[in-house]
Amino acid sequence: MNKSHLFTLGFALAALVLGGQEMSAQKTNFSFTEASELTLIGKLFPDTPNPYHRIDTVKYKGFTTGENQQVRETSGVAVVFRTDSPTISVKSSFVMASSPANTMHIASRGYDLYIKKDGRWLWAGSGCAPQGRDNNYNCVLVDNMDKSEKECMLYLPLYSEEKSIQIGVAEGSHISKGEAPFRHRVGIFGSSFTHGASCSRSGMTYPAQFSRNTGIQLLSIACDGNCKLQPYFATAIAEADFEAFIFDAFSNPSPNMIKERLFPFIETIQKSHPGKPLIFQRTIYRERRNFDTATDRNESAKMAMADSLMKIACTKYSDVYYVECTNATDKNHDSSVDGTHPGDNGYTLWAESIEKPILKILRKYGIR
């Protein structure tokens, strides 16, 4: 059998399997529960008027139009529930469903389901509506499971804003709130890297991987391209409830922005949260630097400014730390999607690179 016949046969078998799953789901009568009636995790500000927003943009002012949109997106937020349903689906009413060119649709406007098995979170299913059919499309994430009760965690879209998210289970099955699976309240503010640009699924951001690996809950206020040590972000963060904070703060701002804004940013937050650790990460190496000399100069200047000022900051301020081992590059320099953002493997490397130093710092404050 030649390669073209093998390809045709493989395609036909895949279509048959997917068709069977679709037919199974079509025969199911679903009942739906609003996700906000279950257990939402990953929110720095838990009481936003829209439960799926990350910041109340009426209360906190100063954001640009783009930032205003981004803090209403659900990157880093997940819903936890228990169910004995053999099938789980999700349907949404979107205010805005985004599809960035460098990020999988499943990540940007879709859902990523994990189920606990043998004590660890195991991927169970992911998906999104066909493009153009986002609103109220019943997207089946997993089917044909046994009817034992399962502990589920559903990561929400990275680059979309929702006014309703409904979890579907088979009629006659139960669904109830799950217990928050991660400990503590550790905030994280960052760039497109922290937002999840170029991930294949929303559960593959480095903060999500860090939480699953360590059991420490990270509460994300990530803004793609807009994490620039802005004073109004510091004001909002200063009013939040957290035990520690992590920053991917040097990926977006220019050297001059870092010089002008870093110390006032730290001081604003420390005024409201004395004695709590503020952990800054060195930005990662961008593969675009390999041959683009202008990018290489700009990135070198940002890194040099951050390195020099953080050396001062760690002496000038108590409870301020700098993690310099941040890494998202494999040995072959093949972990990038677009020269700037890592893919899933790069984000796995990132989560692994910061785990030991951050846990060491957190343990000093009884966060373990």
Side-chain angles (χ1 to χ4, degrees):
M1 186 177 292
N2 61 37
K3 289 184 179 179
S4 65
H5 288 153
L6 285 172
F7 177 82
T8 302
L9 178 59
F11 184 83
L13 288 172
L16 182 62
V17 171
L18 291 173
Q21 290 176 341
E22 186 176 340
M23 288 300 294
S24 174
Q26 286 176 353
K27 295 176 182 178
T28 301
N29 292 319
F30 288 90
S31 62
F32 292 92
T33 301
E34 189 67 31
S36 59
E37 296 175 8
L38 301 168
T39 303
L40 290 178
I41 63 171
K43 288 194 63 175
L44 182 62
F45 297 93
D47 298 323
T48 53
N50 178 324
Y52 307 116
H53 289 175
R54 294 183 292 163
I55 290 183
D56 182 351
T57 54
V58 174
K59 179 178 180 180
Y60 295 102
K61 304 294 186 181
F63 304 119
T64 67
T65 300
E67 293 161 1
N68 206 59
Q69 175 60 59
Q70 288 174 336
V71 299
R72 299 197 304 264
E73 296 166 357
T74 43
S75 174
V77 181
V79 56
V80 181
F81 57 94
R82 304 184 73 92
T83 185
D84 61 355
S85 177
T87 183
I88 297 171
S89 71
V90 60
K91 65 178 181 179
S92 309
S93 178
F94 288 99
V95 178
M96 185 279 298
S98 178
S99 299
N102 63 355
T103 306
M104 288 274 288
H105 290 191
I106 286 174
S108 63
R109 58 187 181 86
Y111 295 85
D112 196 14
L113 177 66
Y114 281 72
I115 295 176
K116 186 165 278 189
K117 184 176 182 180
D118 299 328
R120 62 183 290 263
W121 289 106
L122 187 64
W123 179 85
S126 57
C128 63
Q131 200 159 13
R133 297 174 60 190
D134 296 284
N135 281 325
N136 298 312
Y137 181 91
N138 188 28
C139 180
V140 176
L141 301 174
V142 63
D143 200 2
N144 304 309
M145 295 191 292
D146 64 51
K147 295 185 179 181
S148 62
E149 185 179 71
K150 296 172 180 64
E151 186 177 355
C152 305
M153 178 167 58
L154 181 66
Y155 290 98
L156 307 186
L158 298 180
Y159 284 94
S160 298
E161 178 187 358
E162 305 84 27
K163 57 185 176 183
S164 174
I165 299 171
Q166 297 188 5
I167 311 297
V169 298
E171 282 189 354
S173 302
H174 81 259
I175 183 170
S176 60
K177 289 184 176 182
E179 293 186 9
F182 304 129
R183 307 177 300 279
H184 302 292
R185 291 182 55 82
V186 177
I188 185 165
F189 177 47
S191 67
S192 55
F193 299 134
T194 305
H195 203 129
S198 297
C199 283
S200 65
R201 304 181 274 107
S202 51
M204 290 304 292
T205 67
Y206 80 85
Q209 294 192 61
F210 182 93
S211 289
R212 291 198 304 275
N213 293 343
T214 66
I216 302 293
Q217 179 182 207
L218 298 191
L219 314 164
S220 178
I221 298 295
C223 287
D224 189 330
N226 290 307
C227 178
K228 300 176 181 178
L229 297 165
Q230 300 96 316
Y232 44 86
F233 272 108
T235 298
I237 290 169
E239 294 187 13
D241 173 26
F242 62 82
E243 299 167 68
F245 221 99
I246 300 168
F247 300 92
D248 155 35
F250 305 124
S251 299
N252 290 151
S254 67
N256 283 339
M257 285 180 181
I258 297 170
K259 184 177 181 180
E260 293 170 3
R261 296 177 177 181
L262 177 60
F263 291 175
F265 187 88
I266 291 171
E267 290 164 7
T268 297
I269 297 171
Q270 282 201 329
K271 186 176 180 180
S272 297
H273 294 275
K276 294 182 180 178
L278 305 182
I279 305 167
F280 290 80
Q281 303 176 75
R282 196 175 201 240
T283 191
I284 62 168
Y285 180 92
R286 303 188 187 203
E287 296 299 336
R288 197 179 304 278
R289 298 176 62 176
N290 294 341
F291 297 100
D292 186 324
T293 56
T295 297
D296 188 49
R297 286 192 300 271
N298 291 338
E299 289 296 302
S300 294
K302 286 196 304 184
M303 283 184 166
M305 181 63 73
D307 289 348
S308 64
L309 290 181
M310 283 307 302
K311 185 176 181 179
I312 297 170
C314 291
T315 302
K316 180 181 176 69
Y317 304 105
S318 300
D319 309 303
V320 171
Y321 301 88
Y322 192 35
V323 173
E324 300 182 63
C325 57
T326 315
N327 175 56
T329 300
D330 61 23
K331 64 180 182 179
N332 295 318
H333 287 259
D334 272 339
S335 58
S336 179
V337 168
D338 58 6
T340 297
H341 304 98
D344 289 350
N345 178 52
Y347 285 124
T348 297
L349 294 172
W350 186 326
E352 291 173 349
S353 73
I354 63 173
E355 182 175 326
K356 287 184 179 179
I358 287 181
L359 290 182
K360 183 178 180 180
I361 295 166
L362 295 179
R363 280 195 294 269
K364 295 180 182 179
Y365 298 83
I367 302 169
R368 58 184 71 234

